[in-house]
């Protein structure tokens, strides 16, 4: 049976892999953040990302490099990758929005929609469902939204100030930008040449009701790898999931 939505789903993506990862030192002293391996997996973060993108129907990926770009490019050249990869390196800092615009210019089909992901995200959920959500809402940009756990225990009290319960690492009541996106072709033209699109392009689209938010389904795995503790926690979580 033919899937009527298949034609509108992206088959190309940008991965932003240029961050210095200063909070992950010493792991990032000799490699960029996306090249850090999650203990027990034997694969760097970007390797997991490329495998996930391929599983979701992506065939071409532009990787935007920066800090220690040569290390990442060397790995990409030697690895058996499930997608075609092109690398781009900013000759000067362009900011997050400018960097995204520069990378998008190297997509094989700029006239078609595309995914984007931050290079420090380790996740698994249906990008196909997110793309369909994006199309149904006629959005120019759609953000994946995650509800992470608070890293501290929480305390519940009643109306008289009596403690009634302790909750270990509860889910936050707010959703956050999960660092995964679906963009329509025209989005690239709305990005700044330099600067941060989350302070310019996204607020503008939100005012125009052309920015959508897709909640990652409950139970789907998502974690941003920012610190050594995140690496340890990710390893534990993946072991529990049998991955």
């Amino acid at each position: 049976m033919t899937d009527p939505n298949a034609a509108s789903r992206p088959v190309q993506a940008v991965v932003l892999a240029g961050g210095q990862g200063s909070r992950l030192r010493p792991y990032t002293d000799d490699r960029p953040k996306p090249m850090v391996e999650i203990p027990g997996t034997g694969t760097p973060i970007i390797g997991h990302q490329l495998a996930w993108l391929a599983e979701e129907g992506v065939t071409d990926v532009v990787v935007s490099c920066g800090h220690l770009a040569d290390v990442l490019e060397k790995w990409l050249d030697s690895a058996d990758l499930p997608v075609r990869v092109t690398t781009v390196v900013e000759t000067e800092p362009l900011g997050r929005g400018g960097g995204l615009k520069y990378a998008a210019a190297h997509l094989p089909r700029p006239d078609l929609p595309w995914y984007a992901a931050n290079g420090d995200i380790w996740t698994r959920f249906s990008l196909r469902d997110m793309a369909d959500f994006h199309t149904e809402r006629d959005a120019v940009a759609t953000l994946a939204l995650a509800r992470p756990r608070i890293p501290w225990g929480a305390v519940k009290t009643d109306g008289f100030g009596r403690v009634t319960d302790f909750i270990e690492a509860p889910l936050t009541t707010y959703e956050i930008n999960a660092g995964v996106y679906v963009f329509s072709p025209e989005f690239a033209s709305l990005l700044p040449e330099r600067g941060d699109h989350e302070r310019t392009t996204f607020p503008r689209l939100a005012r125009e009701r052309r920015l959508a938010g897709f909640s990652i389904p409950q139970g789907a795995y998502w974690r941003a790898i920012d610190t050594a503790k995140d690496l340890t926690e990710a390893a534990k979580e993946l072991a529990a999931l049998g991955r």
Side-chain angles (χ1 to χ4, degrees):
M1 184 175 175
T2 303
D3 185 344
N5 296 318
S8 64
R9 294 172 185 149
V11 295
Q12 55 186 357
V14 168
V15 174
L16 298 172
Q20 293 193 10
S22 57
R23 289 194 293 166
L24 262 176
R25 288 175 177 159
Y27 298 100
T28 50
D29 284 344
D30 61 353
R31 68 196 64 193
K33 194 176 185 181
M35 279 298 301
V36 173
E37 293 185 6
I38 297 171
T41 69
T43 303
I45 298 168
I46 195 168
H48 293 287
Q49 286 189 324
L50 295 177
W52 173 52
L53 290 170
E55 291 167 6
E56 294 296 322
V58 172
T59 58
D60 293 89
V61 177
V62 177
V63 177
S64 178
C65 308
H67 174 63
L68 297 175
D70 56 324
V71 177
L72 178 52
E73 289 179 318
K74 183 178 179 179
W75 182 84
L76 291 169
D77 288 340
S78 63
D80 182 16
L81 302 175
V83 292
R84 289 184 292 271
V85 173
T86 301
T87 58
V88 297
V89 182
E90 297 176 26
T91 56
E92 56 183 328
L94 299 175
R96 290 193 297 176
L100 190 58
K101 187 182 187 79
Y102 180 68
H106 293 79
L107 288 166
R109 290 294 304 273
D111 58 325
L112 294 179
W114 45 293
Y115 298 117
N118 295 343
D120 58 356
I121 300 298
W122 183 189
T123 186
R124 283 292 188 280
F125 66 90
S126 175
L127 282 175
R128 292 180 174 91
D129 287 351
M130 184 177 173
D132 293 346
F133 178 94
H134 172 84
T135 301
E136 290 164 3
R137 281 146 186 81
D138 195 27
V140 173
T142 297
L143 291 66
L145 304 177
R147 197 183 296 275
R149 292 192 176 278
I150 298 172
W152 308 283
V155 179
K156 290 185 69 174
T157 60
D158 63 17
F160 295 97
R162 292 184 292 244
V163 174
T164 60
D165 199 4
F166 295 90
I167 306 171
E168 184 63 29
L171 291 173
T172 176
T173 56
Y174 293 99
E175 290 182 304
I176 66 166
N177 182 345
V180 180
Y181 312 90
V182 183
F183 296 134
S184 295
E186 62 266 38
F187 179 75
S189 66
L190 303 177
L191 287 165
E193 296 292 336
R194 295 174 181 272
D196 188 349
H197 60 292
E198 295 193 13
R199 296 180 180 275
T200 55
T201 310
F202 279 173
R204 171 185 167 186
L205 290 176
R207 289 193 298 270
E208 296 171 354
R209 299 295 188 267
R210 296 192 294 164
L211 182 67
F214 174 82
S215 297
I216 295 176
Q218 186 175 2
Y221 187 78
W222 180 89
R223 178 175 282 276
I225 308 297
D226 290 320
T227 65
K229 183 178 180 180
D230 289 323
L231 284 175
T232 303
E233 292 299 319
K236 291 178 182 177
E237 292 162 353
L238 295 176
L241 292 169
R243 296 177 180 174

